[in-house]
């Protein structure tokens, strides 16, 4: 190395002056050394090798701003020629941005270096703080691992945040802001969540958001949003009241709406509680509405998503907010028709949720400019299932509003085509929603159901939907077929001819579960009969289809919503006027008992009337054959019970038909109602007996009443005697030794067997035998008793059966 020039400073003396206790001497030395280090690399190297670095590091924290500035310049000059030497000896001078910019890894590798930088952030000297923040930023910028290391250094983030929120020199604040940005951007999610959780983060981020710098404000908003997406606990840290209010305020500035509204949405999305915190923050509601109704599509989409989160947490708040802002629905319509996928999804979802809570909130959608209904139709037949379900929900509530609204929706090009396309959708929930659109509209005009059923390929898909495991899909498909077939006989014939259609309806009716069963009964009825008359050819198919008539009978027995439609359909069989058809269906399993049961105990007057009419028509078709079957099924007893409920006019036709079958038997049933206690049935029975065709006089009626009363008394006595006999049998069994009736051999009960004919039924109790030989030998003596005991038991059982013993 060459000798220094004569003008070169005396390095040892200069170093001695740098360490002087006299501030003035040290300050002048710093200035002279800085000029030397900056002007001449050789002098800078000599200063570094001579041990000047610690002195300059100490001078960095001088309260004298000029001294600190010159110390920084000197260290910068030395770092350019001897970075490793400076790194080894600088201590807190590692805060120097120049050194960190040139060799950040050496800074991070130095034990305690990052901690020293964090400590320097607490200095009262702006230069020291600015250099420390800059150095931390450069370290963070070099690699994600170093950025995370900086973020995890105790006090580093808190110090940077404090600097950002301070009233220091703008250059210091800028250095701190950019350090935060570098740490967050390079360090990723871990660094971002550390920042929002650091002491002082609220003040720092709030100040950045409210500053006049667009880029850093946008970054702060993004940071809050990014941290919120990392999990609910981090979102809670980001949901600082002042920061939320700052986001709402900053959203109104040009260029910040997307990031600020997006951050609010990210916080709200973390949990229902945070959604309410966002909604409660000052200015947020106004900011969301402004963004939603503004010209920026992405900001509008984020606002819609935020409102969805708030609506999920507090529906009443949003449903109050929307009507107060008339521009909201047009704004959602515009987003719905945009080319931005996120905007379309957000607006569609919000419209669906609004419609569910109050359909009037979306009622004005069809009248808005553009083509909102076509946009709904496009989503309806799209590949995004969630979007399709939302579109169906909105369309359902639109057609539900009125006949005019339904007509407007379904006459819009593409809507009915979209419904037809949705019939082949593999997801049953989507299918159910699509069918509901037409099913609801068909309540106003059955022509919509006919249009759908007659569309190419649609009928097969509707019939296939009858086999859907989704109850609502079945319900909607069945009612659409009902509306369409009632108005179109040709369509009804096509439906019953399709394999599986009738069986699917019967199966669902037989299950008897809620709305689906009622829809099945309605569909079968509308297929079998128009509004004015039955369809014989369809009824023949129904009668021949396995399972249909038993399902109808079971529905009548259950009562409730399905009973009336089922009885109405059964009545339709009798109205055709074909005896063979009446015989076929009336002899089906359970049909006559079901109709009799409906007359006997039906709570619905119309159901009772229809059942009585059906039975009357059966009896009138062939009095001595089918009529006898009706009578034997207990129809006369059912009439008396209906009369007791005040339904004598409803069942009067059936009573006349039964009298034509067997007047004596019917008279006996009527007479059973005459004995006390007197009821409404008593008066009506007397009237019936006195009227044609019986036309009994008062004396005859009184004689019947006495006979019936005597019979009732006798039956009561017989029952009492039978009870005594039964008790006697039990007593006899208990008192009598267990012995064979044939040979007298006593034995254990497990070795003796009762007579199968009269086992325990007679007053003598159980007659036991030890084997078949003894039973055979004893039979001549036991035969008479055995047969009488068995016959008496059978008679008692018949009398105790429903409808038994009335005569």
């Amino acid at each position: 190395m060459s000798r220094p020039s004569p003008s070169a400073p005396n390095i040892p003396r200069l170093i001695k002056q740098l360490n002087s206790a006299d501030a003035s001497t040290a300050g002048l030395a710093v200035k002279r050394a800085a000029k030397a280090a900056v002007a001449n690399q050789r002098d800078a190297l000599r200063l570094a090798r001579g041990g000047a670095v610690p002195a300059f590091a100490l001078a960095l924290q001088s309260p004298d701003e000029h001294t600190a500035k010159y110390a920084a310049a000197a260290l910068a000059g030395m770092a350019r020629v001897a970075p490793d030497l400076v790194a080894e000896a600088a201590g807190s001078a590692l805060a120097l941005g120049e050194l960190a910019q040139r060799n950040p890894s050496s800074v991070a590798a130095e034990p305690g270096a990052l901690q020293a930088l964090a400590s320097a952030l607490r200095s009262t000297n702006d230069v020291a703080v600015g250099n420390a923040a800059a150095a931390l930023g450069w370290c963070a910028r070099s690699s994600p691992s170093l950025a995370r290391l900086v973020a995890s250094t105790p006090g580093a983030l808190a110090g940077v945040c404090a600097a950002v929120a301070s009233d220091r020199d703008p250059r210091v604040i800028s250095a701190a802001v950019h350090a935060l940005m570098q740490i967050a951007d390079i360090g990723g999610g871990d660094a971002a969540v550390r920042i929002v959780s650091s002491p002082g983060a609220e003040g720092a981020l709030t100040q950045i958001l409210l500053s006049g710098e667009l880029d850093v404000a946008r970054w702060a908003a993004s940071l809050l949003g990014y941290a919120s997406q990392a999990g609910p606990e981090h979102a809670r840290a980001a949901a600082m009241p002042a920061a939320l209010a700052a986001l709402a305020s900053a959203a109104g500035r040009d260029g910040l709406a997307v990031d600020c509204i997006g951050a609010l949405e990210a916080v709200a999305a973390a949990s229902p509680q945070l959604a309410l915190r966002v909604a409660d923050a000052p200015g947020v509601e106004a900011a969301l509405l402004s963004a939603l109704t503004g010209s920026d599509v992405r900001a509008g989409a984020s606002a819609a998503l935020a409102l969805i989160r708030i609506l999920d947490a507090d529906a009443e708040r949003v449903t109050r907010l929307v009507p107060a802002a008339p521009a909201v629905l047009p704004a959602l319509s515009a987003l719905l028709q945009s080319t931005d996928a996120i905007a379309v999804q957000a607006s569609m979802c919000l419209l669906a949720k609004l419609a569910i809570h109050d359909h009037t909130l979306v009622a004005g959608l069809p009248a808005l400019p553009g083509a909102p209904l076509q946009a709904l139709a496009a989503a309806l037949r799209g590949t995004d299932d969630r979007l399709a379900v939302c579109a169906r929900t909105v369309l359902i509530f639109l057609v539900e509003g009125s006949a005019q609204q339904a007509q407007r929706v379904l006459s819009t090009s593409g809507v009915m085509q979209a419904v037809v396309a949705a019939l082949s959708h593999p997801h049953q929930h989507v299918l159910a929603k699509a069918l509901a659109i037409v099913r609801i509209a068909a309540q106003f005009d059955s022509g919509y159901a006919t249009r759908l059923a007659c569309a190419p390929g649609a009928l097969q898909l509707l019939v296939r939907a009858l086999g859907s495991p989704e109850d609502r899909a079945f319900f909607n498909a069945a009612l659409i077929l009902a509306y369409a077939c009632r108005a179109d006989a040709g369509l009804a014939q096509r439906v019953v001819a399709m394999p599986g259609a009738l069986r699917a309806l019967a199966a669902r009716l037989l299950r008897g579960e809620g709305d689906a069963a009622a829809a099945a009964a309605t569909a079968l009825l509308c297929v079998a009969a128009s509004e004015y008359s039955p369809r014989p050819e369809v009824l023949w198919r129904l009668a021949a289809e396995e399972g249909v008539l038993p399902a109808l009978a079971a529905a009548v027995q259950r009562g409730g919503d399905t009973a009336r439609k089922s009885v109405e359909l059964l009545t339709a069989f009798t109205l055709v006027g074909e005896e063979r058809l009446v015989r076929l269906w009336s002899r089906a399993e359970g049909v006559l008992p079901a109709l009799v049961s409906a007359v006997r105990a039906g709570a619905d007057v119309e159901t009772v009337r229809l059942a009585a009419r059906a039975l009357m028509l059966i009896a009138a078709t062939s009095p001595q054959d089918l009529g006898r079957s009706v009578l034997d099924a207990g129809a006369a007893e059912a009439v008396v019970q209906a009369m007791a409920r005040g339904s004598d006019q409803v069942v009067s036709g059936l009573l006349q038909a039964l009298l034509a079958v067997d007047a004596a038997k019917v008279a006996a049933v009527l007479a059973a109602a005459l004995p006390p206690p007197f009821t409404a049935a008593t008066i009506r029975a007397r009237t019936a007996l006195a009227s044609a065709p019986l036309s009994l006089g008062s004396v005859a009626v009184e004689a019947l009443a006495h006979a019936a009363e005597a019979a009732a008394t006798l039956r009561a006595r017989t029952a009492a005697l039978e009870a005594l006999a039964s008790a006697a049998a039990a007593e006899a069994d208990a008192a009598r030794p267990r012995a064979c009736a044939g040979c007298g051999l006593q034995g254990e009960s497990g070795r003796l067997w009762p007579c199968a004919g009269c086992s325990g039924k007679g007053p003598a109790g159980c007659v036991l035998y030890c084997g078949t030989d003894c039973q055979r030998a004893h039979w001549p003596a036991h035969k008479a008793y055995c047969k009488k005991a068995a016959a008496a038991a059978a008679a008692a059982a018949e009398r105790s059966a429903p409808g038994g013993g009335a005569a």
Side-chain angles (χ1 to χ4, degrees), residues 19-183:
N19 293 310
S20 172
D22 182 76
S24 177
T25 300
L28 289 172
V30 170
K31 181 177 180 180
R32 290 180 58 209
K35 289 182 176 179
V38 171
N40 191 303
Q41 291 186 358
R42 291 175 63 192
D43 289 341
L45 184 60
R46 290 173 64 204
L47 282 167
R49 289 177 175 175
V53 174
F56 283 113
L58 185 63
L60 273 175
Q61 302 182 48
S62 170
D64 181 79
E65 187 170 332
H66 293 290
T67 299
K69 179 178 178 181
Y70 284 122
L75 283 169
M78 289 186 291
R80 281 193 291 269
V81 296
D84 293 336
L85 186 61
V86 173
E88 291 171 3
S92 64
L94 290 173
L96 183 65
E98 181 71 28
L99 179 59
Q101 181 179 3
R102 286 179 169 275
N103 196 347
S105 59
S106 67
V107 175
E110 181 69 23
L114 292 178
Q115 189 61 65
L117 289 173
S119 299
L121 292 171
R122 298 195 298 270
S123 171
T124 59
N125 185 280
D126 282 357
V127 175
V129 174
N131 284 334
L136 288 170
W138 281 111
C139 289
R141 182 179 180 180
S142 64
S143 72
S145 59
L146 275 183
R148 289 190 288 272
L149 189 60
V150 170
S152 62
T153 299
L157 291 178
V160 175
C161 288
V164 172
S166 71
D167 57 356
R168 293 181 181 275
D169 186 287
R171 289 172 295 179
V172 176
I173 295 174
S174 178
V177 169
H178 285 88
L180 272 182
M181 293 175 65
Q182 298 291 353
I183 294 168

Side-chain angles (χ1 to χ4, degrees), residues 623-719:
Q624 298 310 312
D625 181 1
L626 297 177
R628 179 60 61 178
S629 298
V630 172
L631 195 57
D632 291 344
E637 291 81 0
V639 165
V640 171
Q641 293 184 38
M643 290 165 62
R645 297 195 308 272
S647 300
D648 51 316
Q649 295 300 319
V650 173
V651 296
S652 60
L654 174 57
L655 179 60
Q656 294 301 313
L658 294 176
L659 286 168
V661 173
D662 190 335
K665 183 171 183 178
V666 175
V669 172
L670 290 171
L674 298 179
F678 295 106
T679 64
T682 304
I683 299 172
R684 293 179 173 89
R686 284 179 175 274
T687 302
L689 288 168
S691 302
L694 293 174
S695 301
L696 298 179
S698 59
V699 175
V701 171
E702 290 303 325
L704 276 176
H706 287 302
E709 186 173 4
T713 302
L714 183 59
R715 282 196 298 273
R717 290 176 178 173
T718 302

Side-chain angles (χ1 to χ4, degrees), residues 41 110 119 121 158 204 242 259 276 284 293 338 354 477 484 545 585 619 697:
Q41 291 186 358
E110 181 69 23
S119 299
L121 292 171
D259 298 287
L276 293 177
V284 166
T293 57
S338 72
L354 289 173
E545 182 71 35
W585 79 264

